[in-house]
Amino acid sequence: MIKLNNTLTSNSTILELAKRTIEKERDAIGHLATLLDEDFSKAVDCILNSKGRVIISGIGKSAIIASKIVATLNSTGTPAIFMHAADAIHGDLGTIQDDDVVICISKSGSTPEIKMLVPLIKRGKNTLIGMTGNPDSFLGKQADFILNTYVDKEACPNDLAPTTSTTAQLVMGDAIAIVLLELRGFSEADFAKYHPGGALGKRLYLRVADIAKNNQIPAVQITTEVKQVIVEISKKMLGVTAVLDGNKVVGIVTDGDIRRMLNNHDNIKGLTAADIMSTEPKTIEMDTLAIKALELMQKKGISQLLAMDKGEYSGVIHLHNLINEGIL
């Protein structure tokens, strides 16, 4: 059992230890930028012009970082696959195809798995990029290009647990992904294509029509009695109804309008939608991005918009819809 050091449990000490860790990793990342050289440019150019995928491999904590870099590359337009270094030498080497570029990640560059894997990769025609903290290591000497992720010391006080070194690897992977993204001209529309289910993607592709079509369409005529207006708002469960004169939108009645009416009138008999409606309803076209609907609601301080299809009333989009979609 690990013995708790009770002398380090004060709030100030805990915060100081956390700050020290963050500062050590910050300094290491700052130094990482000075290690970039021509090999980085050549490695990126190789990936950019490859007809295949990027295969990224590692062992231990480096394997976890490799998986994250693969995810980042895939989401930003560069096809990538993770291959665990230990599994590779036990059958998964077939993952690598002729046109693929291989990145091996290893802090030391000389683990037994890397020493076994690298010669097998070198037997093919694949370009090997080594991401290592030791350019003079086995991996460094065998790689076609070296991405130097040297760190002076781990944030771990024992200089054992991979902390600063894995952060450096992660940042180097992000640098590769973002440079490739820029070079490919990867746009917001491209991002949405790769992230259709996420909140970020929805901000870029989800339109008012996609949401409004799932709502009921509350509507009353200008001459409809207030009692029926209340019924319509309650029935359609959107806290609002459009007021029409024939097919033309002439106003809107909200829950707030109903409350104000009840405060101002002891007897509502004889009142119609025309008596309580707001005459300048805020509208939005169905083909507008849903994020624009959110921006309009926030700007106007409202929670519903009437959705229009080429000028014709077609439904309602509610703030709760946007919240449920994860846009807000």
Side-chain angles (χ1 to χ4, degrees), residues 58-59 82-93 113:
I59 194 79
F82 169 68
M83 180 183 68
H84 197 284
D87 293 334
I89 58 179
H90 292 288
D92 282 4
L93 198 63
E113 293 84 2

Side-chain angles (χ1 to χ4, degrees), residues 6-289:
N6 292 316
T7 64
L8 299 179
T9 56
S10 71
N11 184 61
S12 60
T13 303
I14 290 171
L15 292 176
E16 181 58 35
L17 290 172
K19 290 177 182 178
R20 187 175 71 190
T21 300
I22 293 170
E23 289 167 356
K24 284 183 177 180
E25 300 211 5
R26 175 202 63 196
D27 293 343
I29 297 311
H31 178 66
L32 188 65
T34 70
L35 301 178
L36 294 175
D37 58 16
E38 190 177 7
D39 267 21
F40 180 90
S41 299
K42 290 180 177 179
V44 168
D45 189 63
C46 179
I47 295 171
L48 184 65
N49 292 294
S50 170
K51 296 180 181 179
R53 308 153 302 175
V54 180
I55 310 297
I56 308 184
S57 187
I59 194 79
K61 303 300 187 296
S62 294
I64 297 172
I65 298 300
S67 292
K68 192 275 175 187
I69 296 173
V70 163
T72 301
L73 288 172
N74 279 323
S75 69
T76 52
T78 299
I81 294 178
F82 169 68
M83 180 183 68
H84 197 284
D87 293 334
I89 58 179
H90 292 288
D92 282 4
L93 198 63
T95 299
I96 305 174
Q97 302 299 307
D98 290 343
D99 292 327
D100 295 337
V101 176
V102 181
I103 300 177
C104 281
I105 304 178
S106 172
K107 177 187 177 183
S108 70
S110 298
T111 61
E113 293 84 2
I114 292 297
K115 285 185 174 181
M116 292 182 66
L117 176 60
V118 166
L120 298 174
I121 296 172
K122 296 292 287 184
R123 286 190 317 189
K125 298 178 180 179
N126 305 91
T127 298
L128 174 62
I129 300 170
M131 185 185 295
T132 178
N134 183 7
D136 294 323
S137 65
F138 180 82
L139 174 60
K141 291 179 178 179
Q142 294 293 319
D144 296 296
F145 306 115
I146 300 172
L147 304 176
N148 190 348
T149 52
Y150 171 78
V151 295
D152 180 58
K153 191 176 182 181
E154 299 288 2
C156 166
N158 300 315
D159 196 24
L160 294 174
T163 45
T164 311
S165 61
T166 48
T167 300
Q169 293 168 354
L170 186 63
V171 171
M172 185 65 77
D174 285 344
I176 294 170
I178 298 306
V179 171
L180 287 167
L181 178 153
E182 293 274 7
L183 294 176
R184 294 185 194 280
F186 194 81
S187 67
E188 288 187 351
D190 295 319
F191 190 88
K193 181 173 67 175
Y194 289 109
H195 299 76
L200 292 176
K202 286 181 179 180
R203 285 172 172 261
L204 298 173
Y205 82 87
L206 196 67
R207 299 190 179 274
V208 170
D210 299 321
I211 297 175
K213 68 182 182 181
N214 296 318
N215 290 335
Q216 298 188 72
I217 306 177
V220 297
Q221 289 295 312
I222 194 170
T223 56
T224 301
E225 292 185 358
V226 162
K227 181 178 179 181
Q228 291 304 313
V229 173
I230 296 173
V231 170
E232 180 70 1
I233 292 175
S234 300
K235 183 178 178 182
K236 300 300 172 62
M237 298 183 295
L238 289 167
V240 67
T241 183
V243 181
L244 308 179
D245 185 359
N247 293 324
K248 181 182 178 182
V249 174
V250 293
I252 186 173
V253 177
T254 67
D255 282 336
D257 293 320
I258 298 297
R259 288 192 295 272
R260 284 186 287 273
M261 176 200 65
L262 294 175
N263 284 331
N264 295 331
H265 295 82
D266 293 328
N267 184 4
I268 65 173
K269 187 175 181 180
L271 293 178
T272 66
D275 297 316
I276 63 172
M277 70 181 185
S278 299
T279 57
E280 296 182 358
K282 300 301 181 289
T283 64
I284 193 165
E285 284 292 324
M286 292 284 264
D287 63 352
T288 306
L289 287 174

